Every structure is written in structure tokens, then in C-alpha cells.
Amino acid sequence: MSEYYKTLNLEGHGPRNKKEFIDLNKIVTSLKKGRTASNRIKRCAICKKTGVKYCNSHTIPQFILKNIGKNGKLLNTQVFNSTKFIDEEKGINKTQVFHSICTNCDNIIFKDYERMDSYKIEPSQIILKQIALKNHLYSSYKHNQEKTFYNNIVKKLFNSVSSITNDHPLKYMLKVTEHNYCYNNKRANLIIKNLSKDIEMYKLCYFKRLNYTVPIALQDNSIISFGFNNERLANTFDFPSFDYADDIHFCIYPMENESIIMLFCAKNLNIYDNFFEILKKQEESEQLSIINFLVFAYFEEVFLNKDIDKSIFNNANLKTISQEQMITTTNSYRTSYLTETERDNFRWNALAKNFNISNHNKIPNLLDISHRIS
């Protein structure tokens, strides 16, 4: 079975002949070049104006990425993957870039969170709103591209979505990407409406300033499924109302001589309160190890310094957890012979095995001082 199909979790649904495999590779090559309809948005996602110039908008501010870059280059989590849909090395100016904001909005609306001085104290609501808005805009853009990706595969292999069986992983992937696109798009629009208003939308769950530069960077949003003792937190398999936010925003910001670790969520969200209460009672080294585990377990786009010890890239547990989320989720959807309750329990148990926080000590803690950038 080809490595592409392993990554897409299509074992058992793979190409029937060489032509189908070549067709899939053509799709992947096209996507790697960014030639999708998602890159041709016709109006700014913020001001809604048409006919404006779009910029290369970044989520993580470039002044942060430069602190872990080497010769203007970074590694990403594809370095842990034997199958690479995208290059494992990228230039800072092309890292986590999206094209749905006009130049004017990008320069004006996000100026606060893109200043180094903004993190000398705990961030204000303005900073949190700006970070969350960038995250949701990027996520909606990315999920729109994913829809194109999966639809192209369906068209090549099955002609149409209707010809795919309900338990096929592609069917679920299409459902997930559509939901995630709509969710992030709605959250972004809500923030835009309240961006300049004196409304408290977020609460800071965790904030830590380290006196050294960590070798990784992250800015993204995701739900967290499991807490301590495998307590179930957000439901991975449920598609909640778009009016309800259950994700956490993660920021790992390496600065010149320090690092900022910051996690926040919607003000009215309380499903994570107990988790953070327990987390903060741990020793700092334990806290950082747990957060490091969450970073690699729940996020696809973590950026790394090229001078990290190469043995870390071959760490079996880190390679597994960094690729685990989609694989476990989609594979568990093949159990169509089970009742819905049995299937739900099967899914949770499958995820719990590898997403158990007690496994955090089994992977290298890249937030520890021992991995600092000199």
C-alpha cells in the first residue's frame, strides 16, 4: 500500500491500479503548489471589500519565528512523518501563510498582538481577540483547502460523494472539514463584530514566562479531548452548535531571551476549568511536559528550530503522537457494525489509549530548559 494512502487512512479503500495512484499523486502535487480555489478568495474576510489587494498574512508573528529560524528556515511536524505531503522545511516568510485578508486590514487590525512589547505583562482582551481572530481566519482558510483536497480525491476515485459508503473515512473527513470551516468562519465573524467593543470574550487559562528561548513555536486553536485520569473534556465526535466555542487557543512564543506559554478560551467555557486547576498545582517542569504533550498530540502545525537534536525526530512515541489524531478518529468510524453507543465508546477508548496525558513523560519535552536555544 502506498505511503500516501497510509497518511490518508485509506487502507482497504486504496487505488485499484497504477493509474489511480498516479491520479492521486497529481492531486497532491497540485495542492503542494497551492493551486486550489481556496487561494482565490474574492473579498476580504474582515472588511468584506472586493477588488482589494490580499497580503501574505501570517498567524505567528514573524518576529517570533525569527528567534527559532536558521538561515531563514524552520522545520515543521512533517519531520516526524515518513510520508510528506508538504516539505518539512520552510522559509519563515512562507510559514503558516494564508490569503483571505486585505493588506490594509492585516496592517491595522493586528498591530497590537504583533508587537514584542505586548507580552511584557499578561495580555489584554484586545490581544486575545486579535490572536483568536487570526487563528479562526487561518483555520477556516485551511479547512476550505481541505474540502477541495478531499473532493478532488473523491472525484478521481469515486466520481461523486454519493457513491461512497457512509462508513468510508473520506465521508467523515468531508463532514469534519465542512463543520470546521463553518465553525471557524462564524467565530471569526463574531470577533470582528466585537473587536473594538469593551466586551470580555476570553479568559486566560494559563500564562507562563520562561527565562530561555524554547526551540518550537505554535499559534493555533483546538479542542482538548482528555484531561487528567482520562477525564473526558470536549467531545471529539460531536458537532456542537456553531454558537458554542469549546476550543482552546495555544500560543508558544519563543522570544530573544525568553519564551511565552499562553493558553486561553472563551470566557463562558468551563469544561476545562478543573483541568487547568490541577495543572497549575504541578511543578513547573511537569506543567511544561504536559503542555508539550498537548502541543504534539492536538496540533498539526508546530514549527521547530533546525538545530534540535536529530535523535528527537526519530523518537517513536513522538512520531506516533504527532500523527495520531486523524488516524485514530477516522479508523474508528469503520466500525459500522456496532450500535451508535458502542461505536462512541469504541472511539473514545481508541483515542484514550494514545491521548492519555499520563503518557506525557514518554516524549521529549521541548519546552524544558535542556532544549533551549543558546
Side-chain angles (χ1 to χ4, degrees), residues 70-297:
K70 183 175 182 181
N71 299 323
K73 300 285 187 179
L74 293 166
L75 295 177
N76 56 58
T77 41
Q78 286 293 310
V79 74
F80 300 113
N81 196 343
S82 58
T83 304
K84 297 171 175 52
F85 277 105
I86 60 175
D87 294 333
E88 64 184 40
E89 180 179 297
K90 254 186 183 177
I92 290 173
N93 61 340
K94 294 183 179 179
T95 296
Q96 217 169 33
V97 171
F98 64 105
H99 310 94
S100 59
I101 307 173
C102 71
T103 302
N104 187 58
C105 285
D106 195 61
N107 290 339
I108 294 175
I109 291 177
F110 301 102
K111 60 183 179 181
D112 296 299
Y113 104 87
E114 293 182 338
R115 287 204 313 261
M116 192 182 306
D117 292 344
S118 297
Y119 304 98
K120 290 184 177 179
I121 58 175
E122 290 189 0
S124 65
Q125 280 295 310
I126 293 174
I127 300 295
L128 298 183
K129 287 179 186 178
Q130 290 178 10
I131 293 173
L133 178 55
K134 262 291 177 79
N135 287 348
H136 288 304
L137 288 171
Y138 175 70
S139 292
S140 62
Y141 177 86
K142 180 176 69 173
H143 291 306
N144 199 30
Q145 286 192 320
E146 288 175 354
K147 285 196 300 178
T148 303
F149 176 70
Y150 293 129
N151 276 312
N152 282 343
I153 293 176
V154 169
K155 184 178 179 180
K156 287 290 184 181
L157 300 183
F158 305 99
N159 295 322
S160 68
V161 176
S162 60
S163 62
I164 306 177
T165 58
N166 288 331
D167 67 331
H168 194 287
L170 270 176
K171 197 93 162 215
Y172 177 68
M173 290 177 188
L174 283 167
K175 183 179 179 181
V176 169
T177 54
E178 178 64 32
H179 177 273
N180 288 342
Y181 166 74
C182 293
Y183 167 76
N184 282 286
N185 200 43
K186 183 151 189 175
R187 295 304 299 178
N189 287 328
L190 180 64
I191 299 170
I192 291 168
K193 290 179 182 178
N194 294 286
L195 201 57
S196 59
K197 296 178 182 178
D198 188 20
I199 296 176
E200 191 174 344
M201 294 183 66
Y202 295 98
K203 60 182 176 184
L204 193 60
C205 304
Y206 185 92
F207 184 84
K208 180 78 67 175
R209 178 179 285 104
L210 306 175
N211 62 1
Y212 53 90
T213 304
V214 298
I216 65 173
L218 167 71
Q219 183 186 308
D220 210 339
N221 61 304
S222 176
I223 66 169
I224 303 300
S225 300
F226 296 96
F228 293 94
N229 299 315
N230 262 358
E231 175 191 8
R232 294 185 185 183
L233 300 175
N235 191 341
T236 307
F237 309 108
D238 190 21
F239 295 113
S241 165
F242 294 134
D243 296 319
Y244 177 75
D246 59 356
D247 50 349
I248 297 180
H249 296 267
F250 274 62
C251 300
I252 310 294
Y253 289 166
M255 306 291 194
E256 285 186 3
N257 297 302
E258 61 179 1
S259 300
I260 301 297
I261 314 295
M262 180 169 64
L263 286 70
F264 64 95
C265 67
K267 183 185 177 183
N268 60 353
L269 182 63
N270 57 22
I271 59 175
Y272 300 114
D273 289 352
N274 185 57
F275 169 77
F276 283 107
E277 185 177 337
I278 296 174
L279 177 68
K280 292 173 183 177
K281 291 179 181 178
Q282 313 297 315
E283 296 291 333
E284 181 178 286
S285 59
E286 193 81 352
Q287 293 176 21
L288 296 178
S289 180
I290 291 168
I291 292 173
N292 177 77
F293 178 84
L294 297 177
V295 164
F296 287 101

